[in-house]
Every structure is written in structure tokens, then in C-alpha cells.
Amino acid sequence: MAANSVSVSSSLWAQRPLSRTARVSRAVRVAAPRAAIVQASPPGLPPARDNSRVTLSVAVAERAEDIQAESKAMARAVNATVYSPELLALRYGSRPIKVATRALEILIALGSFGVKLLIDQSNGKIDQNKRKRGAELRRIFTRLGPTFVKIGQGLSTRPDICPPEYLEELTELQDALPTFPDTEAFACIERELGLSLDSIFSSISPSPIAAASLGQVYKAQLRYSGQVVAVKVQRPGIEESIGLDFYLIRGLGFFINKYVDIITSDVVALIDEFAGRVFQELNYVQEGKNARRFKKLYADKQDVLVPDIFWNYTSGKVLTMEWVDGVKLNEQEAIEKQGLKVLDLVNTGIQCSLRQLLEYGYFHADPHPGNLLATPEGRLAFLDFGMMSETPEVARSAIIGHVVHLVNRDYEAMARDYYALDFLSPDVDVSPIVPALRDFFDDALNATVSELNFKTLVDGLGAVLYQYPFNVPAYYALILRSLTVLEGLALYADPDFKVLAASYPYFAKRLLTDPNPYLRDALIELLFKDGRFRWNRLENLLEQGRKDRDFSAKDALQPVLKLLLGPDGEELRVLVIKEAIRVTEAVVLGSVSDASKSIPDFMRTLLFNGNANGPLVMNDNELKGMIELRDQVFRIWGLLRTSESFDPALLQPILQVLQEPEARSLGGRVAGGITQRLAARLLQQVLRLPSSAPSSTS
């Protein structure tokens, strides 16, 4: 293909936009009435107040103009095609020749592939040739055109449908197709926007700088502002060809559902879901709205860039966006020449992706390398917002809980998570799945979870999904794809990079600070085991959580504290009382032991009833354990105190809570327990009984 046939999403939209200040000042110059307000200020007087009013009025006017322009763009796209199986059936049911011709073309291509699979099966080479057949399927999809390229990309995220070898081949699909004539593209722009090309742009590239399955992109300069933009124009007749293909594919889906037992998912539902997404990509106004929403949610971070939309020059088939100068994220050498580090950019991508997937739930569903650019300033630019997805709120918490269960190697709980994740219907028995999870993860987790390669985890989990009656929701498959792509990019720069290690600070922060009941229970489950508090887990969570730039020491553990003193917290209170007694004893006795070491041996013998080893009767291991516990508690306090967001005022809510009746009752029970423990220790010393740790009382 010619040099123009670059992936549409790979080089899209480049060049820094005008600053907000520049746009405002230009708006002031263009709008005479607004400028007159500024000129009305008498010379020599400080104009600060008037200028602030002008700036505010300009901002309000700009916002109003933007809303009006967006409304006009939506009106231009009012007739945009939406996916409707019923409408497709009406349209193509009466066109048998057209349907039969395309069906024959598809049948020959896919039929020959199916015959090869049957031959492999009869020769016992079905597993041996998986890689080869996966590559053949990729080439067939490319030849069959845009619909099948999109289908192949969709299948590449479905481990419940395709074996791993096919998934790897299909992920290599490139949606690059021959360009269509520039005259048709320019005519489309004028027809859609109702303006001549010369009145919109002072210049536009004579040929596309990128082309893909659904459209092609031109670089242009707006006449009214000089802004450099990317103009994406939809391929002519794309709705017709895609609609016909999905009509045929849906019919095939009914056949598969009825006669192919090996596939347990509802194929027609999958086809409808995917077709809906592809048709949504054909509405460029919707893509612009997606970009705006994404920008509002995630471009608050300085290291993330989302190009803005020019609504006045956008319609259902034409999209005008800022141009972003940048390098594809998989071009390591070019990135490093700009003095940037790929791993820094990938980490930015991971943190942004985690916020997308687990915080707001609205995420970019097609984050391949061409849609992620490194700008010269070191920012990560997200492009191409045609395909977006959402993570249900329940699933967001369940995913974090799933990670906790993985850390704890609680495979029964992991299996039950699949109900909340909507992988399994409630009537499916998960007990046969538990051994499969145990067999895989026990081998995979020989190292710590943070050292686990994410692709290894996905492949192993995919193998489990493929063997059992899972129905993987589209959002989850896209999550796996998103993080796998990011890890793959990082591995180019550092073969030892682990996406889970980079993600863990975010998970730790959410567990420590999120009031969501599911996450609160997951945190308690992580910290308590067999009635004992695992201080090492808390220390690790704090060490990891404070690495997240949004971690707040003020919010850490507040959700658990509220539960502890709430009406439903009695079971937790019993555990906390026991642990508080144990920690207080460790602090008191450990400190006494340290102090006694400064006293000469002969004086210790006189002071401590002839015991030269110290003031209390206990063996060395018990004393060592107490001192380790005390030191660990002090380290945890140090981690909180040295956090960037630490403020002594964060103790105020705790002190306020301690004034509540439940807290006073809790304090009394702790004090009583401590008194009993210390009294028992004192009695041991007086009677010089053999060392044994007194049991705690609640």
C-alpha cells in the first residue's frame, strides 16, 4: 500500500492546540462588543476588576457558543445510522441477489478455512496447527474488508471464544485499507457541513495522512483561527457494506447457537453487541461527545492529553479535532530521541486506565499503540474515541476484591467473584472451577503477585474460561486487552516490567480509602486471618498506597473505623479489642524491656526478683516477637506521618468518633483487657511461673 495507508489511529491528530488564554484573547479581538468593554476603561486606572469581568463574560459566552455548536452538530447527525437487526432484516430481506453475492464471497473465504479445520481434526493436528490457522484467519478477515477486520479485532479480546493462539494472531490485525478518492472526501465535507472547503480551511493536505477501515484523515488549518486540525472523513458506502455483512453474520449466529455445542456463549447476542459498537463508530458526533466526556474525566492530570473537538466543523460523517504532535507509544527509539522514557509514559497510561476502569467506569475500549501518542512535552495523548465502554459499578468493586482474593490465594472466593462479575449465572456450581484456578495460580504465584506477568495471568485465566461455561462480559474482555496492550508496550523497553506491580499502588490506595462496603469488607478480609491482625499486610498496603499520587493519609482506614464503631461492627470489634490488647502489651513491655537493658546486671537481679534477664518472665522468642510487633506498629505510624498529605488534623475525626458511646465502650473493654494481661504478667513475675503468654480477654 502507498505511504498514505497508515493506520488512522496511529498518526492521528498532532500539534499543540492554542492555549486557553490565546483563544480567549482572540475571541476578545474578534468580538467587537466584548472588546469595547475593555476599551471603555479610563487610561491609567487599574483594569484588573474589569478584565476579570470581561474574562468571565468571554468564558461564559464561549461555553454558550460551544453548546450551541454541539447542538448544531447533533442536528447534522440526526439521521446517522444506528444498529437495528429488525431494520437490517427489512432492508436486505428484499434484496436476495445482493445478499447471495456477498454471502458467496464470505462462504468461499470462511468455508475453505472451515474445511482446513476439519482436515486438521481428522488428522489429529487441530492443536498442532492452531497458530497456523490463526494466522490464516487473520488474513481472511483482512481480505473480507472493514466488517471482518472489526470482528477479528473483537474476537482478539474474547478468551471464552478463541484459544490463546488465535487471540495472539488476531491482535495483530491492522485496520489499514486503501484510501478512497480525495474528491469524494472533499465533497463529503462540503455536503455534511454545508460550507465550501475554502471557507472552512485556509489549507488542507491534498491526500490523506492516514486511512483505516471506516475513514481517512486529512491535516488542515482552520481559516478563522489558524488552528491546525485533523479532519476525519467517513468512507463512502460504509454503512451499506457493514449493514449487509452484519445481516449475514447474524444469520450465521443463529445457526451456531442451534447446532454448534462447543461454543457456550450466545453468539447472536455477541454479534448484536459488537455490531452496535461498530455502528456507533460511524456516528462521528457521538465520537466527539465521547472525547469530550473522556477529557472531562481524565485530562485533569497534567500528563494526560485529550484533543478537543471543533463542533462547527463536525457532523455524522466528518470529525474535526485538534492536531497532536506525537510519536506512537511503540516507537521506543523515536520517543527516547525526544528525551522521554517509554516506561514513564506507560505508567501514566496504566494509572489513567485504572481510573477509567475502576473509578469512573468509562474507558477507552481500543487502546492499541496507534491510539496512544507521546507528545514532545512528555504527555500521553489518547486518540480515537469511536469505541468506548463502561464498567458497571458493582463490577468495579468486584474486580478489586478479585485482586485481594488472588493475593490471599482464596480460590473459593475468586470463583464466587464470577457471579458479581456477571461471568456466571447464579445457578452455575463453581466448585469444579476452584481446582482449575488453584492449579494455575499456585504455579503462577510461586513469585509474589506483583512479580506476576499480566499476560501470563490473562492467558492462564483465558484457558480456564475456555474450558468452563463462562460468559465473559464485553467490558471485562476489553479491560484485559487494555492492560495487556500497555504491558506489551512496556516490555519493549523493559523485559522485566510487570503491570501488576505498577497497578498495585492504585489498588492499595482504593482499599485503604474507599468507603464502598464491598471494598471495606475486602480490606478487613485482607488484614484479618484466623482472628489475628496481619500487620505486615497493613504495612505493605501503606507502603504501596502512598506511592499513588492521589493517596490521602487522612482518608486511610476511615471506612474501617466507621464500621468498627457502627451497629454492624461487633464481630470486628471483638477482633480489634484482642489486637489492641496485644499491641498495647507489646508497646508497654517492649519499652520496659528496652529500658531495663540500660541497668547493670547486678542491679537488675536485685530489682527484678533475682531475674537478671529482665523485669518479666518470658522466653527470648516471646520477647522478640513483642518487640517486632511494636516496631512494626511504629513503622506503620511512621508511614502515615511521613505521607505527603499527612496533617495532624487527620486525628481529629478519630478523636471525635472516640467520643461516641460505642467508642467509650470499646475503650473500656480494651483497657480492661490490658489490665488483665499486665496483671497476669505481674503475677508471673512475683510467683516466677514458667513463661506462657496470657490469653487475651475481650
Side-chain angles (χ1 to χ4, degrees), residues 480-642:
L480 296 184
R481 180 188 180 193
S482 174
L483 294 179
T484 303
V485 167
L486 287 169
E487 182 172 65
L489 290 169
L491 291 174
Y492 281 112
D494 180 6
D496 296 324
F497 183 87
K498 300 294 184 293
V499 72
L500 287 178
S503 305
Y504 201 65
Y506 176 86
F507 283 100
K509 179 205 71 174
R510 287 290 300 276
L511 280 171
L512 288 168
T513 62
D514 200 308
N516 181 287
Y518 189 98
L519 297 185
R520 181 192 63 198
D521 293 344
L523 175 61
I524 293 170
E525 181 182 336
L526 186 66
L527 295 180
F528 285 92
K529 184 176 183 180
D530 299 330
R532 271 294 180 88
F533 190 86
R534 296 190 283 188
W535 291 96
N536 61 321
R537 286 287 171 87
L538 178 58
E539 184 177 6
N540 180 257
L541 282 174
L542 287 169
E543 285 178 347
Q544 293 295 326
R546 69 203 295 260
K547 294 177 184 177
D548 188 284
R549 60 188 173 189
D550 296 326
F551 176 76
S552 169
K554 181 178 181 179
D555 297 331
L557 300 176
Q558 289 293 319
V560 176
L561 183 65
K562 290 178 181 178
L563 173 65
L564 174 66
L565 300 176
D568 300 324
E570 178 57 29
E571 184 177 350
L572 180 61
R573 282 194 286 272
V574 171
L575 295 174
V576 169
I577 288 168
K578 291 180 179 179
E579 198 60 32
I581 293 169
R582 194 168 76 93
V583 169
T584 304
E585 181 187 41
V587 171
V588 172
L589 299 186
S591 300
V592 170
S593 176
D594 287 347
S596 72
K597 291 178 181 177
S598 62
I599 302 174
D601 290 347
F602 75 93
M603 292 187 64
R604 263 190 290 169
T605 302
L606 293 174
L607 289 172
F608 304 128
N609 198 25
N611 183 4
N613 292 324
L616 296 167
V617 177
M618 64 177 66
N619 60 47
D620 291 341
N621 288 336
E622 187 182 1
L623 180 59
K624 181 181 177 182
M626 280 195 173
I627 293 174
E628 286 177 352
L629 174 60
R630 179 201 63 180
D631 292 346
Q632 192 165 46
V633 172
F634 286 168
R635 283 198 305 273
I636 289 170
W637 170 244
L639 287 171
L640 284 171
R641 192 163 46 87
T642 57

Side-chain angles (χ1 to χ4, degrees), residues 28-29 31-43 47 50-55 57-58:
V28 172
R29 289 201 302 274
R34 299 179 200 155
I37 297 175
V38 180
Q39 293 166 0
S41 301
D50 286 342
N51 281 348
S52 65
R53 287 201 197 106
V54 172
T55 302
S57 66
V58 168

Side-chain angles (χ1 to χ4, degrees), residues 196-483:
S196 68
L197 213 61
D198 289 341
S199 68
I200 303 171
F201 307 113
S202 56
S203 66
I204 187 169
S205 58
S207 58
I209 52 89
S213 56
L214 303 184
Q216 58 195 37
V217 177
Y218 295 84
K219 184 177 182 180
Q221 188 173 35
L222 293 176
R223 182 170 292 282
Y224 90 98
S225 66
Q227 179 84 30
V228 179
V229 294
V231 185
K232 184 176 176 181
V233 187
Q234 194 170 111
R235 190 175 293 275
I238 191 76
E239 296 154 314
E240 176 74 14
S241 63
I242 286 180
L244 176 56
D245 284 345
F246 277 118
Y247 171 72
L248 292 168
I249 293 166
R250 198 168 189 271
L252 179 63
F254 280 111
F255 178 85
I256 292 173
N257 276 353
K258 188 171 183 179
Y259 297 108
V260 182
D261 295 333
I262 192 173
I263 296 179
T264 57
S265 299
D266 183 348
V267 177
V268 172
L270 292 174
I271 291 169
D272 286 343
E273 180 181 20
F274 188 71
R277 293 183 187 280
V278 173
F279 269 80
Q280 195 175 62
E281 284 192 76
L282 296 178
N283 184 349
Y284 287 174
V285 169
Q286 183 60 50
E287 180 175 344
K289 293 174 70 175
N290 293 344
R292 276 289 178 89
R293 182 180 176 189
F294 191 91
K295 185 182 183 78
K296 181 180 179 181
L297 291 176
Y298 308 117
D300 57 331
K301 305 299 180 185
Q302 292 183 353
D303 46 12
V304 173
L305 173 64
V306 179
D308 206 357
I309 307 298
F310 292 84
W311 292 114
N312 284 324
Y313 310 109
T314 294
S315 72
K317 297 182 179 181
V318 176
L319 177 64
T320 304
M321 300 179 75
E322 292 176 4
W323 184 275
V324 180
D325 266 329
V327 180
K328 288 193 295 183
L329 212 56
N330 60 349
E331 297 178 2
Q332 181 179 350
E333 186 176 344
I335 290 174
E336 291 178 348
K337 282 182 179 178
Q338 298 184 57
L340 305 175
K341 294 181 179 179
V342 174
L343 288 182
D344 290 343
L345 293 158
V346 170
N347 268 314
T348 297
I350 289 171
Q351 297 308 314
C352 185
S353 294
L354 290 170
R355 292 181 70 205
Q356 292 174 52
L357 304 172
L358 303 175
E359 200 161 324
Y360 297 105
Y362 185 70
F363 67 94
H364 196 298
D366 192 21
H368 64 72
N371 288 338
L372 301 169
L373 298 185
T375 71
E377 300 81 17
R379 302 173 76 187
L380 180 66
F382 284 81
L383 308 175
D384 198 349
F385 300 91
M387 188 175 287
M388 308 295 290
S389 189
E390 298 200 43
T391 312
E393 186 173 357
V394 173
R396 293 177 224 164
S397 302
I399 290 169
I400 297 176
H402 200 59
V403 172
V404 172
H405 297 145
L406 176 61
V407 171
N408 284 342
R409 303 194 187 207
D410 188 347
Y411 303 121
E412 288 81 6
M414 284 182 68
R416 291 193 298 272
D417 288 336
Y418 296 129
Y419 295 133
L421 290 168
D422 202 25
F423 279 29
L424 298 170
S425 60
D427 59 338
V428 174
D429 180 17
V430 296
S431 55
I433 299 169
V434 174
L437 292 172
R438 180 176 291 109
D439 290 344
F440 169 69
F441 284 110
D442 275 349
D443 290 336
L445 296 178
N446 285 333
T448 62
V449 173
S450 63
E451 294 175 356
L452 185 62
N453 183 294
F454 189 75
K455 188 176 185 304
T456 301
L457 188 154
V458 171
D459 288 346
L461 189 56
V464 174
L465 300 182
Y466 190 64
Q467 294 173 33
Y468 294 94
F470 283 90
N471 181 30
V472 180
Y475 74 84
Y476 190 78
L478 292 168
I479 287 172
L480 296 184
R481 180 188 180 193
S482 174
L483 294 179

Side-chain angles (χ1 to χ4, degrees), residues 44-117:
L45 292 179
R49 182 174 298 176
D50 286 342
N51 281 348
S52 65
R53 287 201 197 106
V54 172
T55 302
L56 179 61
S57 66
V58 168
V60 170
E62 277 193 334
R63 177 60 183 152
E65 290 171 4
D66 189 63
I67 293 172
Q68 186 178 22
E70 182 179 353
S71 298
K72 290 180 179 179
M74 292 173 65
R76 286 191 288 270
V78 70
N79 293 321
T81 304
V82 295
Y83 177 68
S84 168
E86 294 78 15
L87 290 178
L88 291 182
L90 286 173
R91 178 183 300 175
Y92 296 110
S94 58
R95 302 164 72 181
I97 296 177
K98 188 177 184 67
V99 171
T101 302
R102 179 58 173 168
L104 185 62
E105 180 185 2
I106 296 171
L107 186 62
I108 291 172
L110 296 181
S112 61
F113 178 76
V115 169
K116 290 179 181 178
L117 288 181

